[in-house]
Amino acid sequence: MVGSYANGAGAGGGGKNGAAEGKLDELRRRLGKVEGDPLRIAGVGAGAWGSVFCALLQDAYGRDHRDKAQVRVWRRAGRAVDRATAEHLFEVINAREHVLRRLIRRCAYLKYVEARLGDRTLYADEILRDGFCLNMIDTPLCPLKVVTNLQEAVWDADVVINGLPSTETREVFGEIGRYWKERINPPIIISLAKGIEASLDPMPRIITPTQMIANATGVPLENILYLGGPNIASEIYNKEYANARICGADKWRKPLSKFLRQPHFIVWDNSDLITHEVMGGLKNIYAIGAGMVAALTNESATSKAVYFSLCTSEMIYITHLLAEEPERLSGPLLADTYVTLLKGRNAWYGHKLAKAELTLEMGDSIKGKGTIQGVSAVNAFYELLSQGSISVTHPETKKHVAPVELCPILKTLYKILIKRELGTSSILEAIRDESMSDPRERIEMAQRQSLYRPSLLGLPKGDIKL
């Protein structure tokens, strides 16, 4: 039964346990851990993917090898679970016998009964201890150790998982940096965040989540990696086959790809950190538009395919501005874009906006979904690419223009989501513009012209360089 393994029951045999222990021992050795000193893994942030990622590690290492590995998750205290969610959670529990039995054994079932009746209030950190992520109620996880004190969570961690939205990464890791001032050996940090910040002073540049973390904590960039791939959190925890890439410096990416790999979750390694992080932010932008197109065309496969070809050409164009030899949009990079446009929360958000089931006035933090990171990414990329100081040559007029002028979908999404000048139907006008060039021409231009702008990665004095 898939559910029994996926929700924290037996991993299935001594062979698998032995292989897991071998990988754990190898990483412990590389980190210089001695017997009796467990590998401490701390998740920071408890959204859907952050919670699932930590639950995967708990299932693989934290449950059967407690003397060698400990997994804990930090999330803020005080987030109440509303009555409707508590009622739905009660239904989820009672529909899954193994979850019901687990809660009864842990003497934790009664509080869910009381919450359903309105006799008590549940809190997000409280239910996460029982394996329920507030952003993913329908997929019970294994029980997790949850702490609400950030210093307690991270101060002695060997491996830190950044499960925060990119919009919160700088602030939280700024606080973490104060706790690490006395550390001798820096931890390894794996960032799951997808998005960027745009800084326009003193020159236009991007700041990726790994750079935010390095700047905030002083941890060297060789110890900070990015993990991305085609993944829907609930499907991965339910053992749908998936793959991913961990990107960063040579020192840790290969050992970590081996440590993170599981039979259903294959992790490869790649050195192109910038392209993968940038693509991670871009795909969320274009996923919002994909959701709009799907809703407005009654799920027209043709319209969605037209949109896909246009948005991927813009993504390729933008990465050529930010990396001298960017990784091609293929393999896991292309698959990550595809699945995000198909089913991710950003596509869901665009679909709901187009159907008028959500409004922009409701903000980009949505109940049951968390932060819609594509909204802030639209603003950041538009601000960055609209700067005349990084102009490019227009292929038809031969005049110098801001790069965003060659990204009509990004421009349209900015006018819909940020300026609120246009309605969602404008996305169809953008992809049906009769004057639009073949997307192949944009890709060829990106590959033919010297578009790379090193200044976009330039860091002012005081920042930590790649």
Side-chain angles (χ1 to χ4, degrees):
M1 177 180 174
V2 172
S4 61
Y5 180 17
N7 289 286
K16 290 182 180 179
N17 285 339
E21 188 171 17
K23 292 190 294 182
L24 176 57
D25 287 342
E26 182 176 341
L27 185 61
R28 285 172 50 81
R29 178 180 58 79
R30 287 179 176 271
L31 285 166
K33 305 296 289 186
V34 298
E35 187 173 353
D37 182 17
L39 176 72
R40 295 176 175 87
I41 301 171
V44 177
W49 185 214
S51 297
V52 163
F53 197 81
C54 289
L56 291 174
L57 294 174
Q58 173 65 17
D59 279 339
Y61 301 112
R63 185 184 60 245
D64 295 326
H65 310 288
R66 295 176 186 174
D67 58 328
K68 294 183 177 182
Q70 296 177 358
V71 180
R72 56 184 181 255
V73 182
W74 171 80
R75 74 153 295 142
R76 293 182 179 91
R79 175 72 181 274
V81 178
D82 63 49
R83 176 77 179 274
T85 302
E87 290 176 352
H88 180 58
L89 180 53
F90 185 76
E91 294 173 358
V92 169
I93 291 168
N94 284 279
R96 293 161 174 80
E97 184 178 352
H98 60 285
V99 176
L100 176 61
R101 290 183 178 275
R102 186 181 77 200
L103 291 173
I104 292 172
R105 285 197 306 270
R106 292 164 58 91
C107 300
Y109 179 64
L110 183 58
K111 65 187 176 188
Y112 294 97
V113 176
E114 294 172 341
R116 180 190 179 279
L117 296 173
D119 293 336
R120 68 165 291 172
T121 300
L122 295 170
Y123 291 92
D125 58 291
E126 176 185 19
I127 66 173
L128 186 60
R129 292 184 177 91
D130 293 326
F132 303 107
C133 171
L134 187 58
N135 292 345
M136 199 176 59
I137 291 296
D138 290 310
T139 304
L141 309 175
C142 62
L144 291 165
K145 179 179 180 181
V146 180
V147 294
T148 56
N149 182 294
L150 184 58
Q151 183 174 9
E152 177 187 348
V154 302
W155 75 276
D156 62 346
D158 302 297
V159 179
V160 174
I161 312 300
N162 176 30
L164 296 164
S166 58
T167 49
E168 297 180 22
T169 293
R170 179 185 297 278
E171 178 185 355
V172 174
F173 274 86
E175 183 177 347
I176 289 172
R178 296 195 292 272
Y179 304 142
W180 285 348
K181 286 187 180 297
E182 306 302 321
R183 283 192 69 139
I184 298 174
N185 297 316
I188 298 169
I189 301 173
I190 301 172
S191 180
L192 310 178
K194 298 172 176 67
I196 69 160
E197 287 182 355
S199 176
L200 306 181
D201 184 31
M203 64 180 68
R205 64 190 178 99
I206 68 166
I207 308 171
T208 65
T210 56
Q211 290 173 311
M212 295 177 204
I213 293 169
N215 296 341
T217 64
V219 172
L221 270 171
E222 68 175 8
N223 276 45
I224 308 174
L225 302 98
Y226 166 76
L227 185 134
N231 49 63
I232 300 296
S234 60
E235 293 183 357
I236 290 180
Y237 196 71
N238 284 327
K239 301 299 181 281
E240 294 289 340
Y241 180 85
N243 49 52
R245 279 177 174 164
I246 188 161
C247 307
D250 293 342
K251 181 178 180 181
W252 289 114
R253 72 171 193 268
K254 288 187 182 296
L256 286 172
S257 70
K258 185 175 181 180
F259 178 73
L260 296 173
R261 179 176 291 222
Q262 298 186 26
H264 71 288
F265 185 58
I266 306 304
V267 180
W268 297 305
D269 70 280
N270 192 283
S271 62
D272 191 349
L273 176 63
I274 288 295
T275 300
H276 284 78
E277 275 198 287
V278 168
M279 283 291 193
L282 285 173
K283 70 185 180 67
N284 286 335
I285 290 175
Y286 292 103
I288 296 176
M292 293 177 182
V293 170
L296 294 167
T297 63
N298 196 28
E299 302 293 338
S300 164
T302 302
S303 295
K304 289 191 286 187
V306 168
Y307 179 84
F308 185 79
S309 69
L310 293 170
C311 78
T312 51
S313 72
E314 288 191 15
M315 293 172 71
I316 292 169
Y317 176 79
I318 292 169
T319 57
H320 274 79
L321 289 165
L322 299 170
E324 189 169 12
E325 295 182 4
E327 179 82 13
R328 289 184 179 275
L329 185 57
S330 61
L333 262 182
L334 181 60
D336 194 14
T337 300
Y338 171 75
V339 76
T340 304
L341 268 60
L342 186 69
K343 194 177 177 181
R345 78 180 70 172
N346 291 276
W348 172 89
Y349 179 72
H351 194 282
K352 293 292 186 182
L353 285 176
K355 289 290 188 181
E357 295 172 10
L358 290 176
T359 65
L360 292 172
E361 287 71 25
M362 297 170 70
D364 59 1
S365 182
I366 306 298
K367 173 187 169 183
K369 291 291 182 180
T371 301
I372 308 300
Q373 298 187 68
V375 177
S376 63
V378 167
N379 192 42
F381 275 103
Y382 183 91
E383 283 192 342
L384 182 74
L385 300 179
S386 63
Q387 301 302 305
S389 60
I390 53 171
S391 63
V392 296
T393 303
H394 194 286
E396 296 175 0
T397 66
K398 306 303 179 184
K399 294 181 179 178
H400 291 291
V401 297
V404 77
E405 295 302 320
L406 298 176
C407 300
I409 296 176
L410 176 60
K411 284 183 64 178
T412 301
L413 288 170
Y414 178 79
K415 291 177 181 179
I416 295 171
L417 298 168
I418 307 302
K419 299 297 288 184
R420 303 185 184 182
E421 297 173 348
L422 301 175
T424 55
S425 61
S426 299
I427 196 70
L428 295 184
E429 297 173 22
I431 68 173
R432 293 170 178 173
D433 184 352
E434 291 184 12
S435 65
M436 184 175 291
S437 301
D438 187 328
R440 181 174 64 89
E441 295 179 16
R442 186 183 291 107
I443 295 172
E444 289 180 346
M445 179 181 63
Q447 295 170 338
R448 182 176 62 251
Q449 294 186 14
S450 179
L451 291 181
Y452 177 46
R453 298 293 186 270
S455 63
L456 292 176
L457 298 175
L459 303 172
K461 185 176 181 181
D463 278 0
I464 298 173
K465 293 190 177 184
L466 284 167

